[in-house]
Amino acid sequence: MRTFAWILLGAGIAMAVPAQAADGPAKIVVLGDSLSAGLGLPAAAAFPAQLEKSLKDKGLNVTIGNAGVSGDTASGGLDRLDWSVPAGTQGVILELGANDALRGIDPKVTRAALENILKRLKARHIAVLLCGMVAPPNYGAEYAAQFNAIFPDLAKKYDVPLYPFFLDKVAANTKLNQADGMHPTAAGVAIIVEHILPTVEAFVRAIREQKG
């Protein structure tokens, strides 16, 4: 009987391991540029850190890695994709394109880079939340129309959730941006997190359901 009990106990421990794994944190990476990296801010005030705290406050077990690189374009993000999104990542919040628009890069180039990122993440079975960006007005209506369409088009094509404009409620607000007028203050990041939170919460819950 004692031997049988140890066998049952061993089986119970073995069965418990997958359950514990399923209860582990959802591993998310924010792949972006200076807007999400937190240029000019302490690490705890950057978008990934503030977002992780807000999600944990809602009872979601997550870790959010900061893979933002200042100055990065969509093509730059594609070039570093493999090492920026390590093995074990379950979801990526993709925030790239602002520098493309600021530099007037051909929207076809931006679209191709973002599409390749989506393809490669999909091949790795990593979920993606795509953050949209809006072109500044100085390049004209035609450029803006081509650029702005990239994000909803790709979200539809690859069936990924879309947050239409990453800087919603913050862009051009001098009280919520640093002296350069482009990068959010800690308070600005808090506004971004507040508005994107329902979308990210649904994204994380979907990942956890698939994981379970």
Side-chain angles (χ1 to χ4, degrees):
M1 288 295 293
R2 182 175 297 177
T3 301
F4 183 64
W6 277 109
I7 292 172
L8 285 178
L9 179 60
I13 293 173
M15 291 173 65
V17 171
Q20 290 173 353
D23 290 338
K27 297 178 181 178
I28 312 296
V29 168
V30 180
L31 181 66
D33 49 38
S34 57
L35 297 176
S36 57
L39 181 69
L41 300 175
F47 173 74
Q50 289 203 44
L51 180 61
E52 180 180 300
K53 182 180 184 303
S54 293
L55 289 167
K56 286 182 174 178
D57 287 346
K58 284 185 166 287
L60 288 171
N61 189 10
V62 298
T63 61
I64 301 185
N66 188 340
V69 173
S70 295
D72 231 358
T73 61
S75 297
L78 174 62
D79 289 342
R80 63 183 175 88
L81 180 63
D82 290 339
W83 60 264
S84 292
V85 181
T89 300
Q90 295 160 295
V92 166
I93 298 174
L94 181 55
E95 180 278 305
L96 285 168
N99 288 309
D100 298 64
L102 286 174
R103 299 172 191 177
I105 291 174
D106 187 340
K108 292 178 182 177
V109 173
T110 303
R111 180 186 290 265
L114 290 172
E115 184 161 16
N116 274 320
I117 291 173
L118 289 168
K119 284 180 180 178
R120 286 168 59 175
L121 291 175
K122 187 172 185 179
R124 293 173 60 184
H125 306 289
I126 297 174
V128 180
L129 167 59
L130 181 61
C131 296
M133 189 49 59
V134 174
N138 53 303
Y139 289 108
E142 183 178 351
Y143 181 91
Q146 292 179 29
F147 180 87
N148 296 349
I150 293 171
F151 303 91
D153 287 354
L154 291 179
K156 183 177 180 180
K157 181 174 181 178
Y158 289 92
D159 192 26
V160 299
L162 171 69
Y163 185 69
F165 181 34
F166 184 73
L167 295 175
D168 187 32
K169 312 299 183 186
V170 173
N173 186 329
T174 56
K175 295 181 179 180
L176 296 175
N177 283 281
Q178 299 176 47
D180 61 13
M182 295 186 293
H183 294 96
T185 60
V189 173
I191 296 296
I192 293 172
V193 169
E194 177 186 351
H195 285 88
I196 201 174
L197 189 61
T199 304
V200 178
E201 186 178 356
F203 178 63
V204 173
R205 290 190 186 280
I207 289 173
R208 294 199 65 84
E209 287 174 6
Q210 292 175 359
K211 183 180 178 182

